[in-house]
Amino acid sequence: MDAGLFTANNVWMMVCTALVFFMHTGFAFLEIGLTRQKNTINILFKNIFIITGGLLLYYAFGFNLMYPGFEDGDAGLLKFAGFGIGAPEGGMTPGYADGGYTWWTDFLFQGMFAATAATIVSGAVAERIKIGAFMIFTIIYVGLVYPIVGAWKWGGGFLDSWGFYDFAGSTLVHSVGGWAALVAIALLGARIGKFGEDGKPKAIPGHSIPMATAGVLILWLGWFGFNGGSVLSADPELTSLVLVTTSLAAAAGGFGAFILSTLLYKNLDLTMFLNGILGGLVGITAGADLMSPNEAVVIGFIAGLIIVGGVALIDKLKLDDPVGAVTVHLICGIWGTLAVGIFGSKAGMDQLLVQLYGVLIIGAFCIISSGIILFALKTTMGLRVSKEEEIEGLDLHEHGMDAYPDFMNE
């Protein structure tokens, strides 16, 4: 391979790595914007812990658990290549990864993905989970559960041999986080005041919708790296197609949610519009490289409709998800994964069944594993803060800080 092409591929992958890292800023802005001021420090602390802890865990053993080097005859379920990281022979040459990138770039790009699953959970459990319990959950889930599931497809495991397809993580990233978020909010219970005595949900407005809007726009930008980098090279034709399908699905998702929510609720709900964009992005992620622009618009638009229905369903089930994480990442993640068998170059009943089997197997594993972790934490140290702490805010009780101190009176 030409040295210039190898360099161009590697530079593109490093740019995409930076964009995926920047997504954590978007997640942080979205979460604090859609929740109350009194819990801002708590949410930011969790997000910073996820990034730092997630990368260290991926370095220590996650990368080698996710890419263990399955050999012919392996069951493709579980294998471990050892602790720590070190570039293999030829890892800095075009002989590695078909000249798409170096081994070090490979590690860092995948490491940026690793923390995203726990970030999804962070938003769902906001305003009432104990910080210590959340940190322990993050260590186990990001350190063990995410890499094991990733190995089944991206690491060459059994789902890969079955033909299961997930280009950039509708299931392997978003649904993995979404299943854990669903289990967590079921065990935690709703925030105080979320449901009235008649059982009807009450809105608990976030303290900064402009911040939430900025977060969504940053996430959309970051998705250019999330999906664009999953081409695993700077291939001009494929990267440009992926960026087009990603953007069109995001726009269509926003419009789908905006139109349906307006028809149903007779108001122009910005938060629904924003989550529709995210739903479209999650929905296209499994098959962004397989779809035409027309198919991307359809997939995104349907994801936007799913957002409106999913939010209503979560409320009806008496579950409390402050940022809509379960609907966006789990339900739209499932939709995007199944869409690979309905639209695009792999469409067909056989592919649809394989996609369905993958969703069910990963869902069962994530529900069981997250359930065990969270239930153990609940019965030992407890998951939820006290009523007093929740009412007065976690910033005061768990951090002794105020995100917006009043300097006017000093």
Side-chain angles (χ1 to χ4, degrees), residues 49-59 61-63 65-66 110-121 134-149 176-177 180 373:
F49 177 82
I50 288 166
I51 302 165
T52 54
L55 190 58
L56 290 172
L57 289 166
Y58 208 63
Y59 146 76
F61 51 82
F63 186 67
L65 190 58
M66 191 164 173
Q110 299 299 336
M112 291 300 103
F113 270 63
T116 305
T119 305
I120 292 165
V121 182
F134 179 81
M135 289 192 288
I136 293 172
F137 170 79
T138 297
I139 289 170
I140 301 172
Y141 205 70
V142 174
L144 296 176
V145 177
Y146 170 77
I148 290 171
V149 173
V176 166
I373 300 165

Side-chain angles (χ1 to χ4, degrees), residues 128-137 184 187-188 373-386 389 398:
R128 70 248 199 235
I129 195 169
K130 289 183 176 179
I131 190 76
F134 179 81
M135 289 192 288
I136 293 172
F137 170 79
L187 288 175
L188 267 176
I373 300 165
L374 290 165
F375 186 75
L377 290 170
K378 185 174 183 177
T379 54
T380 52
M381 64 187 300
L383 281 180
R384 186 161 179 157
V385 299
S386 69
E389 290 171 327
E398 295 207 313

